[in-house]
Amino acid sequence: MKKTVALLCVTLVAVWGCQPPDCDRKDCGTCGNACCSLSFHLDGVTSQAAYNKIMMNLKNGGADGRYSYSGGDDLRPYNISASFILQGVHMTLVHHYNDTLNFVLTDDMKPSIHPLGTTLHAFSISQIAGAYCDDGQNYKNLVGFVKALNMKYTETTVAGCPKPM
Ligand SMILES: *[C@@H]1O[C@H](CO)[C@@H](O)[C@H](O)[C@H]1NC(C)=O
Ligand SMILES: *[C@@H]1O[C@H](CO)[C@@H](O)[C@H](O)[C@H]1NC(C)=O
């Protein structure tokens, strides 16, 4: 039994083949499939500016040219805490595995703590059925994308994709 599990993990790693850097935050089954949930504080930008940039980068292919834009919406007319919502897809280089990316943008409500800024809740989940572990791809999808926004940020882990021990 143990041997089967080990063999399966080796096979999955070979198949997924996350391209470094940022492949060290593997997730195994957090969402019943591999996923990663992060929160980024984007310093000195409004949610509107961050939304425009995220949408543009998704439409342009993002950090590695393999991101795409699925849709997005301005939530401000609804007077709820979130300001914008977006969805995209990242496709891996080797086997063209697709991961769904979800983003929610919220303007800071406490200007005394952050003079001007936006919280970006970013989530990535493997689409392929049975992606128990992901070789770190979901974390990489998010952090690689956010780095390419060229915004100053701090990062917090919400769920999944744990730091290596
Ligand atoms: C928006 O929501 C806030 C807080 O829930 C409330 O105080 C305010 O009256 C609402 N504004 C409108 C236009 O509904
Ligand atoms: C991923 O999405 C692309 C574009 O929609 C599609 O061509 C490809 O077959 C998908 N990959 C898998 C493994 O389903």
Side-chain angles (χ1 to χ4, degrees):
M1 187 61 195
K2 270 232 171 68
K3 201 172 170 191
T4 314
V5 170
L7 197 67
L8 185 67
C9 284
V10 169
T11 310
L12 288 181
V13 167
V15 165
W16 257 254
C18 182
Q19 312 284 313
D22 300 320
C23 293
D24 59 334
R25 300 272 301 261
K26 301 177 196 339
D27 184 81
C28 287
T30 297
C31 298
N33 216 21
C35 73
C36 180
S37 181
L38 303 174
S39 178
F40 295 91
H41 186 263
L42 307 174
D43 296 331
V45 288
T46 60
S47 62
Q48 172 88 72
Y51 175 71
N52 290 343
K53 180 80 170 147
I54 289 168
M55 181 160 54
M56 193 182 78
N57 278 25
L58 285 173
K59 286 180 174 173
N60 292 344
D64 60 8
R66 285 178 280 107
Y67 290 82
S68 58
Y69 176 73
S70 305
D73 214 349
D74 184 349
L75 300 177
R76 292 172 301 175
Y78 305 111
N79 196 29
I80 51 178
S81 58
S83 300
F84 295 94
I85 188 162
L86 299 102
Q87 187 171 73
V89 172
H90 178 265
M91 189 167 68
T92 62
L93 177 65
V94 182
H95 288 275
H96 294 181
Y97 289 131
N98 299 308
D99 301 327
T100 300
L101 313 179
N102 291 321
F103 301 100
V104 167
L105 290 156
T106 311
D107 281 287
D108 285 344
M109 289 300 160
K110 295 195 177 89
S112 54
I113 298 173
H114 297 294
L116 170 67
T118 295
T119 297
L120 169 66
H121 185 189
F123 176 80
S124 175
I125 186 163
S126 301
Q127 283 183 8
I128 191 170
Y132 180 66
C133 297
D134 67 352
D135 198 29
Q137 186 66 50
N138 284 294
Y139 176 77
K140 189 197 165 80
N141 288 345
L142 299 178
V143 83
F145 185 81
V146 169
K147 281 179 181 173
L149 296 175
N150 291 318
M151 292 173 179
K152 196 165 169 282
Y153 68 85
T154 52
E155 176 189 332
T156 313
T157 304
V158 177
C161 51
K163 286 180 187 151
M165 296 289 180

